[in-house]
Amino acid sequence: MTLTEMIYGILFQPVSTLQYLSREKPLSRAMLVFISVLLFNALVNQAISLANIEELPFSLPVNLLWIFGLMGVIFSVLLLFLMGGFFSLLSEVFFGRANASGLLVCLGFASVPGILGPPLQYAASLIKLPAGVVLFPLISIVWVMILQVMALRESLELDTGKAILLYIVPLLLVFFLLAIIAASFISSFPFAEL
């Protein structure tokens, strides 16, 4: 499969494409696609920031915006590797299935619809369509999340319920840890004893 066929497949035939990707594991192509999506979105988000510069309470130098964008790209790549490893580890512990490199490739390609959110948001802000400014990125995020669940399902050979459970377990862990931190923080105040 060529790169354009993989991108087309992710958008219009995700199940068979994700099965192929998890089996063949074209990691360099997945990283190319993932980083391209991130760089394109950083560029469009910078344009959105510059278009709304009069609404900001303070302005940042343009070079600083690029540094933040590149730091975001580096952080996102590290997060992708952490997600792939963490999901594969959880799957191996709970379900006895692991495919870290196949999952990493599938998660990289699952980001493809994310390229649609920022340009459509920018277009909606230019034509003064307030519903589109919120709706277009939300649709893009939901599409990526659905593809990420499908990536878990196909690369780890799980059923849909287990893939959804595996996807939300890290969110539940973060929520649980934040609740513990908040509870310990609140209990340290003197008024908590009253």
Side-chain angles (χ1 to χ4, degrees), residues 94-149:
F94 292 132
F95 308 119
R97 306 214 183 244
N99 182 6
S101 57
L103 180 57
L104 183 63
V105 168
C106 290
L107 288 174
F109 273 96
S111 68
V112 168
I115 204 166
L116 300 174
L120 292 175
Q121 178 186 16
Y122 185 49
S125 69
L126 288 177
I127 61 172
K128 308 289 188 221
L129 182 65
V133 171
V134 175
L135 189 62
F136 293 143
L138 184 63
I139 290 171
S140 174
I141 290 169
V142 168
W143 193 356
V144 169
M145 290 173 68
I146 290 170
L147 283 176
Q148 288 174 339
V149 170

Side-chain angles (χ1 to χ4, degrees), residues 32-192:
L32 174 69
V33 166
F34 185 73
I35 291 172
S36 298
V37 168
L38 290 173
L39 289 174
F40 180 78
N41 286 345
L43 181 67
V44 173
N45 284 331
Q46 183 178 7
I48 292 171
S49 297
L50 292 176
N52 298 328
I53 201 79
E54 66 276 354
E55 297 175 12
L56 296 175
F58 59 91
S59 62
L60 296 172
V62 174
N63 292 339
L64 198 55
L65 289 174
W66 276 107
I67 290 172
F68 284 138
L70 289 177
M71 285 174 50
V73 168
I74 292 169
F75 179 74
S76 296
V77 171
L78 291 175
L79 188 62
L80 177 70
F81 277 91
L82 286 174
M83 279 177 46
F86 188 67
F87 283 137
S88 183
L89 178 66
L90 282 179
S91 175
E92 188 170 7
V93 168
F94 292 132
F95 308 119
R97 306 214 183 244
N99 182 6
S101 57
L103 180 57
L104 183 63
V105 168
C106 290
L107 288 174
F109 273 96
S111 68
V112 168
I115 204 166
L116 300 174
L120 292 175
Q121 178 186 16
Y122 185 49
S125 69
L126 288 177
I127 61 172
K128 308 289 188 221
L129 182 65
V133 171
V134 175
L135 189 62
F136 293 143
L138 184 63
I139 290 171
S140 174
I141 290 169
V142 168
W143 193 356
V144 169
M145 290 173 68
I146 290 170
L147 283 176
Q148 288 174 339
V149 170
M150 292 173 74
L152 289 171
R153 185 184 71 191
E154 298 306 325
S155 64
L156 300 171
E157 299 174 355
L158 302 171
D159 60 24
T160 304
K162 289 179 181 177
I164 292 170
L165 178 65
L166 190 64
Y167 190 75
I168 63 171
V169 162
L171 298 175
L172 294 175
L173 287 174
V174 168
F175 178 75
F176 182 69
L177 287 174
L178 289 176
I180 289 174
I181 291 169
S184 66
F185 183 71
I186 290 172
S187 67
S188 67
F189 284 113
F191 67 85

